[in-house]
Amino acid sequence: MSKLGQAKRIIFLKTADGQLFEVDEPVAMEFEIVKSFFDENEDAADDTVVPLPNVSAEPLAGIIEFCKAHVEFRANGAAGKDEVKKFNAEYIKEKSNEQLKELILAANYLNIKEMLDFLTETIANRLKNKSVEYVRAFFGIENDFTPQEEEAVRKEYEWAFEGVDED
Amino acid sequence: MKKSCQEREMRNSLGLPDDVVVDIFLRLSIKNLARLRCVCKSWNDLITSESFVGFHLSKSSRKPRLLFFRYGVSPSYLGFYPPKRQRFENLHDPPFATRLVDLDLLGSCNGVLCFCSTADHSLIYMWNPSNNKYITLPKPTYNPRYLGFGVNSMSGHLDDFKVVTISANANAEVYSWRTNSWKIIDDGFPRSIEIYGSHINCPVFVKGSVHWCARYSCYFDSQCTWLIVSFDFSKGVFHTIMLPEDMSIDDDAKYLNILDGCLCVFAGTVRNSFRAYELWVMKEYGVIESWTRRCIIEKDQIFWWPIGLTRKGKIFVRGDCEHCGNSLLSYDPNTEIFECLDIHLPCFSIQVLTFVDSIITPVPRSVIKG
């Protein structure tokens, strides 16, 4: 662990596809899995490489970008303010569902609560007030009901199909 | 039994672990969830699984709402507090054939409300207003005079709803939602005890038992001892609980309620010549010595009588506000301050219950076809 007055410590992370990332310590410590790695190996050398066998480079880069910004927001006392919301909205805007899924899987494995909360909320918002057909198409989900089965479930909850957004 | 979440890991079509999908689904309203059941079988299985229903209930239990029931007069209504524009946020009417005005509300438990017909108590309904599902109970063997509603919390099932009835002849029987049938309690109701039933004294379900205010029968003597009688839904037996001594021998009405998960009772007491209400809390359930006086509220022009408790321990009372007579006020026992809530209360009675949203479907498995 770095102490006050020491040079900024860098944590080395290695992804499943063999890429090496150099991450500032406060950002890497956002990842619960990295934090516990160092908590359990207190004597680990400064240049220890933490292997992340379940994460590939692309989502990790995205996660680092997100966590870095949020660490800064907290340091500046901006947590919960509009600029955070603006950053989050921009961050997620161009992400496809597939990218979002990769990010969730990685954030879940790395155990980053704040980011996982944000990502699951994003998915939930993409499901809100959407028609069944839209949800299937948007998430690429196959309808495995027979028409009779689907009709039965729909009939049971007719009121749930009122006021749905246009596809 | 449906499989647990862990067993169905990654089978939810989003390609995400089930605990993440559960987290996503828990952020959605009941209406959205009902619709998403139609997306595919695995989503339908997940949303209707007992474990998901449980997660959903634990989450919504952190945000209970207060349900006000105006009863006994047309139009009766059910409305949530806090109000919108000086009116309670109305809950839609139940879908039963019986009108709300002809019903008594027996209680609210795990998102399900239980009603019985005011006239003879033999028509009993369980209704989940959140998904508008309901069941009409089969008729009990004996005509019920007093009823209680709750859930058998020891069975591990959130939907193990029960109704207990007591007839005029002290016959007692219990309805089980899971078997959709009634069972007569051999020993019946203790004959030496008379339940003191009125709307304001509606039964209170807490700690796995339903509670009524009652008195020991005693002829030619108006000072019959008050007590609480309870029915434990898991053991299927009646128990008695003594009230604080100060309020056990007089003629003043008692109101049972729940405060921070503890049984509590409101009453005027001899000590203050009934010029004030006292609120007593049974801190340790079933332990008489743990009855503790929480506060005394003086009766004066603005305060008439208590009608319920808020989640944070404030007390709803009926009284007079500056601009509006017969209003709803809240009283903070810590600061001893009344606050006018700008809601006019109808002249008739109001019942206040805690309600949590749930996706439990109150239709017994034995009744579901196929």
Side-chain angles (χ1 to χ4, degrees):
Chain A
M1 286 282 169
S2 72
K3 293 187 181 66
L4 223 61
Q6 283 183 339
K8 204 160 74 174
R9 186 178 171 193
I10 300 290
I11 305 286
F12 298 93
L13 305 175
K14 195 175 181 185
T15 60
D17 44 354
Q19 282 211 39
L20 194 66
F21 281 77
E22 296 178 13
V23 187
D24 288 345
E25 185 187 8
V27 176
M29 289 306 156
E30 292 285 289
F31 310 170
E32 202 52 49
I33 197 169
V34 174
K35 192 171 175 291
S36 31
F37 177 89
F38 283 103
D39 286 348
E40 284 159 23
N41 305 283
E42 282 186 24
D43 306 328
D46 275 359
D47 57 356
T48 303
V49 174
V50 183
L52 302 174
N54 287 335
V55 183
S56 53
E58 196 195 319
L60 185 63
I63 283 175
I64 291 168
E65 180 197 350
F66 182 91
C67 290
K68 200 168 173 230
H70 278 257
V71 166
E72 277 168 23
F73 287 139
R74 278 206 296 276
N76 301 335
K81 294 205 177 132
D82 282 350
E83 68 182 284
V84 181
K85 284 182 195 145
K86 205 175 147 198
F87 169 86
N88 286 353
E90 277 302 314
Y91 178 83
I92 216 70
K93 210 166 95 186
E94 301 300 325
K95 301 270 188 293
S96 68
N97 281 319
E98 200 51 40
Q99 284 172 314
L100 203 53
K101 197 171 97 181
E102 291 301 320
L103 284 173
I104 290 182
L105 287 170
N108 189 43
Y109 169 72
L110 297 169
N111 197 359
I112 315 167
K113 197 182 173 308
E114 188 184 356
M115 184 167 189
L116 201 56
D117 261 359
F118 166 64
L119 294 171
T120 46
E121 184 69 30
T122 304
I123 298 256
N125 285 332
R126 290 184 183 184
L127 293 168
K128 259 174 213 168
N129 302 326
K130 299 293 188 295
S131 73
V132 170
E133 294 73 16
Y134 176 91
V135 172
R136 281 184 194 137
F138 197 77
F139 291 98
I141 297 166
E142 192 195 336
N143 175 18
D144 51 2
F145 282 114
T146 65
Q148 292 82 358
E149 286 170 338
E150 187 178 339
E151 184 57 30
V153 184
R154 273 180 192 263
K155 226 176 154 178
E156 198 184 337
Y157 289 101
E158 270 169 353
W159 50 269
F161 293 87
E162 293 159 8
V164 177
D165 292 351
E166 296 274 324
D167 290 352
Chain B
M1 268 285 273
K2 296 263 163 46
K3 286 181 186 173
S4 75
C5 274
Q6 288 73 24
E7 288 173 271
R8 285 182 288 107
E9 187 93 358
M10 305 286 273
R11 282 164 179 258
N12 50 62
S13 307
L14 275 182
L16 294 171
D18 265 8
D19 56 348
V20 175
V21 175
V22 164
D23 184 7
I24 293 167
F25 284 176
L26 287 177
R27 293 166 192 270
L28 296 167
S29 67
I30 288 179
K31 187 178 172 184
N32 275 303
L33 286 173
R35 199 173 52 253
L36 291 179
R37 284 182 51 186
C38 301
V39 169
C40 62
K41 281 182 179 171
S42 61
W43 285 22
N44 187 33
D45 287 352
L46 196 150
I47 293 167
T48 54
S49 70
E50 201 162 351
S51 54
F52 184 76
V53 171
F55 291 138
H56 185 273
L57 185 64
S58 336
K59 191 172 178 194
S60 68
S61 297
R62 276 181 253 143
K63 280 190 193 165
R65 291 192 283 172
L66 287 162
L67 186 64
F68 280 65
F69 179 43
R70 174 196 177 177
Y71 58 84
V73 60
S74 193
S76 287
Y77 61 72
L78 288 158
F80 288 113
Y81 185 86
K84 280 183 177 164
R85 284 180 240 100
Q86 273 105 61
R87 286 183 61 96
F88 295 111
E89 187 193 337
N90 265 25
L91 177 64
H92 55 98
D93 279 349
F96 341 127
T98 316
R99 296 177 310 158
L100 204 52
V101 66
D102 298 323
L103 295 170
D104 289 353
L105 179 52
L106 294 174
S108 155
C109 194
N110 290 355
V112 171
L113 302 175
C114 184
F115 292 90
C116 72
S117 51
T118 307
D120 66 355
H121 300 166
S122 66
L123 263 176
I124 309 167
Y125 303 98
M126 287 184 192
W127 172 48
N128 181 345
S130 307
N131 59 19
N132 212 24
K133 296 279 175 190
Y134 78 98
I135 178 174
T136 310
L137 272 55
K139 291 227 171 176
T141 313
Y142 303 102
N143 253 358
R145 185 159 173 211
Y146 298 108
L147 302 92
F149 168 64
V151 67
N152 174 14
S153 42
M154 300 302 282
S155 73
H157 299 289
L158 299 164
D159 56 10
D160 196 6
F161 295 112
K162 304 268 183 183
V163 173
V164 60
T165 65
I166 299 146
S167 76
N169 292 327
N171 290 304
E173 49 194 314
V174 185
Y175 167 83
S176 163
W177 182 88
R178 289 181 76 85
T179 59
N180 192 31
S181 61
W182 290 92
K183 191 170 167 251
I184 291 169
I185 300 165
D186 294 337
D187 294 343
F189 184 76
R191 286 178 178 271
S192 59
I193 296 169
E194 188 70 28
I195 289 182
Y196 201 81
S198 73
H199 286 90
I200 203 148
N201 235 326
C202 91
V204 162
F205 176 72
V206 65
K207 305 278 181 196
S209 294
V210 64
H211 305 77
W212 300 265
C213 267
R215 297 179 96 164
Y216 280 114
S217 317
C218 58
Y219 297 101
F220 313 115
D221 181 1
S222 63
Q223 305 280 291
C224 306
T225 310
W226 285 91
L227 76 159
I228 294 169
V229 60
S230 69
F231 183 76
D232 181 331
F233 283 117
S234 68
K235 297 196 180 80
V237 287
F238 289 99
H239 290 291
T240 57
I241 299 172
M242 299 315 291
L243 281 164
E245 209 173 320
D246 294 12
M247 56 174 67
S248 60
I249 306 175
D250 58 53
D251 282 328
D252 214 40
K254 327 284 174 206
Y255 313 99
L256 291 183
N257 216 310
I258 303 164
L259 183 65
D260 295 334
C262 297
L263 190 61
C264 66
V265 59
F266 265 117
T269 62
V270 181
R271 185 199 355 255
N272 49 47
S273 313
F274 305 109
R275 282 195 306 271
Y277 276 100
E278 298 192 356
L279 173 62
W280 288 69
V281 181
M282 189 177 229
K283 287 192 161 172
E284 202 175 324
Y285 183 72
V287 179
I288 310 302
E289 295 73 26
S290 75
W291 279 116
T292 308
R293 191 171 64 198
R294 174 63 72 94
C295 67
I296 303 175
I297 323 177
E298 299 285 333
K299 286 184 199 172
D300 63 19
Q301 298 121 288
I302 66 161
F303 163 65
W304 301 352
W305 61 80
I307 54 177
L309 290 163
T310 73
R311 196 157 59 94
K312 293 184 176 139
K314 286 191 185 174
I315 299 159
F316 281 124
V317 303
R318 184 189 281 269
D320 262 335
C321 285
E322 203 177 333
H323 305 293
C324 171
N326 208 357
S327 289
L328 181 68
L329 296 94
S330 80
Y331 174 79
D332 186 335
N334 298 320
T335 59
E336 299 184 11
I337 289 172
F338 287 99
E339 187 192 345
C340 276
L341 298 171
D342 280 336
I343 299 179
H344 177 71
L345 290 178
C347 292
F348 298 91
S349 297
I350 291 277
Q351 203 175 324
V352 186
L353 294 161
T354 302
F355 178 81
V356 294
D357 281 306
S358 94
I359 50 173
I360 289 174
T361 303
V363 179
R365 279 161 235 292
S366 52
V367 174
I368 297 173
K369 293 185 186 90

